[in-house]
Amino acid sequence: MMKTQYHITKTAMRNNFVLSTQKHSVQNFVFLLLCCFICGLINVSAQNQPLKTYTKNNGLPSLHINSGAQDKTGYVWLASNNGLIQFNGNEFTTFTTKNGLISNNVNIISSKGNTLFIGTDKGLSIKKHHGFTNFEGNNVNCILTVKNRTFLGTNKGIVRVRENYLSPLRTNFQIDLNQINDMLFDGKFYWIATNKSLWKLDKLINPKVLKRIDVNNYTSLLINEKTIIATTYNKGLKFIKNNEVETQSITAQNVIEIKKINNQFWIISEDNGIEVLDANFNFVKNINKYNSLTTNKITSTFQDNENNTWVSTKDKGVYFIKSDKPIQKKPSISFENIEVVFTPIDSININNYAKTLKLPADKNHISFYYKTINISNSNKLEYRYTLNNQTSPWSTKSAIDLAYLSPGNYTFSAQSRIGKIESTPIEFNFYIDTPIYKKSWFIWSIIGVTCIILTLIVWSYIRRIQAKNKAKVAKLELENHLISLEQKALQLQMNPHFIFNVLNGIKALGNSGKSVELNTTISKFATLLRGVLHNSRQEEISLAEEITTLKNYIELEQQINSNTFEYSITTNLSIEPEEILIPPMLIQPFVENSIKHGISFVENGKITISFSIKNDLLHCEIIDNGIGVHQSKELKKVSSHKSVALKVTQERIRNLSKKGAFSIIELYNEGKVTGTKVLFEIPLKTDF
């Protein structure tokens, strides 16, 4: 009985042990599965950092993003097929050809400070604070800035950016005619990746070292610990050190770019996503549409100053991968714009202006725009400003209008913060001038000027009265002088000696029986006398009448003169001689002087009289081929004859007008005296 009971108990114990063992095995299996699941979650979490997609639903104007960059202020800039895109952490702003961009198809962006170099399919645009500067050219694939020199890699060689134009560089035809995919400067040498080969140059301008390292379709360059890492389109990675090339195979094909992000190497394929390698170039993971993204058409990637990663695509916009180890740094604030009476200040660098901006009194409305860019904490930013020690409370407002400011000195400062971390304040000093009508010197100047004006008015009034009286006296003196001259001229119009000679000539013709010549001479003499008597009663006569009188006088002189001579009277006038008015007997004394003291001493004498109009002046020239002025004066000293009529006529001409000019010139030919020219001009006067 006891044995049977023991057997049953032993059997029960064995069964309980088996059941306990089976239950423990099931628990271990479940625990193992749970551990595997947790490890998988940990692994997935490790491969998938917090990721956000920006598409048209978020305001992105285009899903085709070619590349990106970040400027000094912190703005993220994206190159798209629909313009240049700016992102401040909250919203997107697009710049296109309507804003001055050379082309909407943007390939590449490079930032230097707050200056953007924008490579497009039609050349380069440079964006500074106030707008774009454009340079037409070929399709730009890459941009390199070294020592304040900027170079572009295009579809046809390398181009240097000059001040006003693009200058193609001449290296060799294998570089100049091929597509430049990337350029790199390692501090000593330039590395050029083309679609045909990889090149090493000591200089881009007139290089002395120009070496082809390898033949392949090179797409991107990176320097890592003095080793040049280059990607080829389908032939893996190339490591170049000391001109030696090593190749490492990778799974990615159609590679277009390599970037170093968080001590890892991201290899970008244009249709296979991203392959990530560790610092030793061992495979880490793939980032593609099968695990993280929604597309494999990646174009580029870059890391911002907060360690966040941006991945641009050809058809799905841009991905934002927030850093799991963000950089904690003090926020930076800068002025975006300063407006004076709603007009931006374009003449100075508002963020580096150490002086005090001086403004006139009417420019007392100033607007300040300031900004801090923090992509990760854009919603946590707050701002405050200080004006002459009066500080505003913190708010999200990043602009302030200061209107109707009083004259004086001002210091404006702005500051931002994220949480409790505050930025270093930025300052801008300006001065508003006092209105001129409130300045003491202006008030005293007005009083002084008023006194001076009153004094000048009184003095001017007295001077005007004196001037009027003086003018009247001068006018009377001039009139008396002219009357005296006219009387003298009339007295001397007809030389008595000339009259006696004419009468003796008439007598001789009568005694010789030359009745025809006698009648002609008497007729001319009568016409001359009649003309002289008629003209003596006139203040002005026509030029035609003066010429007629001259002809009669000269022809009578020809008859009574012992020496024969010729004469000619020419007119080059745009107005008829009958319509031109001159004082009577103005030319006869000069002609008489030429006959008596010039050509009377030479054979075949000749007198030429000409009239012309120049610049509203009547010009008269009397030219003879006589003995000249100086010899004539010597002869006059010997004789008792004094040419009073000539002096009177000269004075008449000078008194006709201040514009009148008079000169007597002795003519020479090969050192010999050939005659005399009398030239004078008087104001042109007509009877209409």
Side-chain angles (χ1 to χ4, degrees), residues 349-503:
N349 186 342
I350 57 177
N351 284 297
N352 292 294
Y353 192 68
K355 300 179 181 179
T356 299
L357 180 66
K358 295 183 178 181
L359 300 172
D362 59 334
K363 306 295 184 182
N364 61 346
H365 187 150
I366 305 177
S367 303
F368 290 90
Y369 300 86
Y370 37 88
K371 194 72 174 179
T372 292
I373 303 298
N374 190 289
I375 301 298
S376 302
N377 301 286
S378 59
N379 295 323
K380 298 179 181 179
L381 285 168
E382 290 183 310
Y383 302 90
R384 70 178 178 184
Y385 71 89
T386 301
L387 183 66
N388 285 2
N389 300 321
Q390 293 185 358
T391 304
S392 70
W394 291 99
S395 70
T396 58
K397 188 177 179 182
S398 60
I400 185 66
D401 286 329
L402 304 174
Y404 305 110
L405 293 173
S406 301
N409 287 294
Y410 290 90
T411 298
F412 178 89
S413 66
Q415 192 177 18
S416 65
R417 73 177 181 182
I418 301 174
K420 294 184 179 181
I421 304 175
E422 298 179 358
S423 70
T424 301
I426 53 174
E427 288 188 354
F428 189 86
N429 298 307
F430 63 97
Y431 167 77
I432 298 177
D433 199 5
T434 304
I436 191 170
Y437 60 85
K438 291 185 178 180
K439 295 184 177 181
S440 58
W441 68 264
F442 179 79
I443 296 172
W444 284 108
S445 298
I446 291 297
I447 295 172
V449 169
T450 303
C451 294
I452 292 172
I453 290 174
L454 291 174
T455 304
L456 289 175
I457 290 173
V458 175
W459 179 78
S460 177
Y461 178 73
I462 296 172
R463 286 295 302 270
R464 281 201 304 271
I465 294 174
Q466 292 176 344
K468 287 181 180 179
N469 294 334
K470 188 175 180 180
K472 289 179 180 178
V473 173
K475 184 178 181 182
L476 292 174
E477 290 178 351
L478 180 61
E479 289 176 353
N480 290 333
H481 186 61
L482 289 175
I483 291 171
S484 175
L485 289 175
E486 289 176 358
Q487 289 174 350
K488 290 179 182 180
L490 292 174
Q491 293 171 1
L492 297 170
Q493 280 175 359
M494 192 63 66
N495 192 322
H497 183 66
F498 168 72
I499 296 174
F500 294 147
N501 287 340
V502 173
L503 292 176

Side-chain angles (χ1 to χ4, degrees), residues 93-113:
T93 303
T94 306
F95 300 88
T96 65
T97 53
K98 293 180 180 179
N99 307 104
L101 194 65
I102 193 171
S103 172
N104 288 339
N105 193 2
V106 182
N107 300 326
I108 189 74
I109 303 171
S110 177
S111 172
K112 183 182 179 184

